Amino acid sequence: MTTTPNSPVGTGSSAVRGARRALARSIDRVTSSALGPYQTAVVRIGFSFTWLVFLLREWPHRHELYGPDGPWSWDLARQLTDGNGAFTVLMWSDGGFWFECVYAAALLAAALLLLGWRTRTLSVLFMVGVLSLQNRSIFMGDGGDNVIHLMSLYLVLTRCGQVWSLDARRRRRRRERLGPGEAAEDPGGDGTGIALWAVLGLALATATVLDRLSLGWALFFWGLWTGHALWWGVRRYARVAAEEGAAGGRAGREAATVLDMIANLAHNAALLVIMAEVCLIYATAGWYKIQGSRWQDGTAAYYPLNLDYFSPWPVLSDLVGGSGTLVMLATYGTVIIQVAFPFTLLNRRVKNVLLGVMMLEHLAFAVALGLPFFSLAMIAADAVFLPTGFLRRVGGLAGRLIGRGLVRARGEDEGRGSAAPDRTLVR
């Protein structure tokens, strides 16, 4: 039986081949590269900055929030974590020195993740710090803390240091020194990374021997640690085998490629989950608000503006709360934005406009209601939807401003250094 291009059979075969090619291209895209490098970088920067600023802001009150002086005592926290299996290293000891070490480590991890130093390792330590403090006193948090809690888990699976990080700068300098191919294949010479991996392995082994980890968390942490070791070992073996001309060089490179594909898949899956999580947050918040009578009659925004707890600027609260029009616009506008946002993803231009409106709304909440950390967390979550072109322009502008500042500071230093000889010559 013969077919012509216009026959039903031929048309069906072409459609099947087209679908297969599209599927093959999609699979190749999600396995060959880590998508959204700028989006994951801005999420990393946003959440680490929010958590860092929060910990610094609450430094004088840390003992009451998460430490031994809190109303939620260590014994109560121990009973709760034993029941729900929540992870927190603060339950390993009730001593004040241990608490100070954990709090300081959480601060350091947030700062280093913000800078993008060893992001694969620091994302894990950042997660440990977030979970340890928040699960120690779960009644101290709000919606922003819940978002940070979730995102700290997702960031572990992302390759969030591809751009705007010290890791990216180190890779760039390595490529300039060794060449693109040599730098990509050779993981050797990274003494800092190896030392960090060994120290954390020793700490993990100690915690396991002392039975400080549940079975699930032990498997999780050992899986991450072993995965890092496997990635380094395979790349190192491929490099050595290629230099010696051994037959295993090709197999080693193929194994390294497979590991990179798995890492890309994990990254892209985590990025998709982050985007879905943001949509879920807004959708559930919006649809729950619709069911409330105060949101239906347009007066819901009035009540928090008249609570002392949410009125850091009483004059501003009275100004907004005293206008029925502004209250109605704030109430209905919040519901419309939250319900509509997931659907705007179908249109890029509408999505970008609504995204800007949402970020401005969170800034307004930060000022009017005194919720800076909640607003920062939500803005960091929203940033995953920012267009790549916009983020690259913002990054380029920030780089130029920082570069000009460094050049100006260097010029002032050189000017001060050359001033003394000039005065000597005048004399």
Side-chain angles (χ1 to χ4, degrees), residues 36-39 164 351 385-395:
Y38 292 94
Q39 285 78 6
W164 298 344
K351 180 264 295 181
F385 292 104
L386 289 174
T388 301
F390 171 78
L391 291 175
R392 295 183 67 176
R393 287 193 294 272
V394 171

Side-chain angles (χ1 to χ4, degrees), residues 356-380:
V357 174
M358 289 167 56
M359 290 184 172
L360 291 176
E361 183 185 38
H362 286 306
L363 290 176
F365 289 161
V367 175
L369 300 180
L371 298 172
F373 301 111
F374 169 78
S375 299
L376 282 175
M378 292 309 303
I379 290 174

Side-chain angles (χ1 to χ4, degrees), residues 21-33 35 261 264 268:
R21 285 194 295 269
L23 180 60
R25 286 194 299 269
S26 300
I27 294 175
D28 179 69
R29 186 182 182 190
V30 298
T31 57
S32 62
S33 62
L35 304 177
M261 292 172 60
N264 291 333
N268 295 328

Side-chain angles (χ1 to χ4, degrees), residues 388-411:
T388 301
F390 171 78
L391 291 175
R392 295 183 67 176
R393 287 193 294 272
V394 171
L397 177 61
R400 287 193 295 271
L401 292 176
I402 294 174
R404 290 175 185 174
L406 293 176
V407 170
R408 188 179 296 109
R410 190 180 299 113

Side-chain angles (χ1 to χ4, degrees), residues 2 42 54 135 143 149 160 165 198 207 222 243 245 249 266 270 285 297 365 376 388 391 416 421 427:
T2 60
V42 76
F54 173 78
N135 289 337
H149 190 110
C160 55
S165 66
W222 279 114
E243 289 179 349
D297 60 26
F365 289 161
L376 282 175
T388 301
L391 291 175
R416 285 194 294 267
R427 292 193 186 113

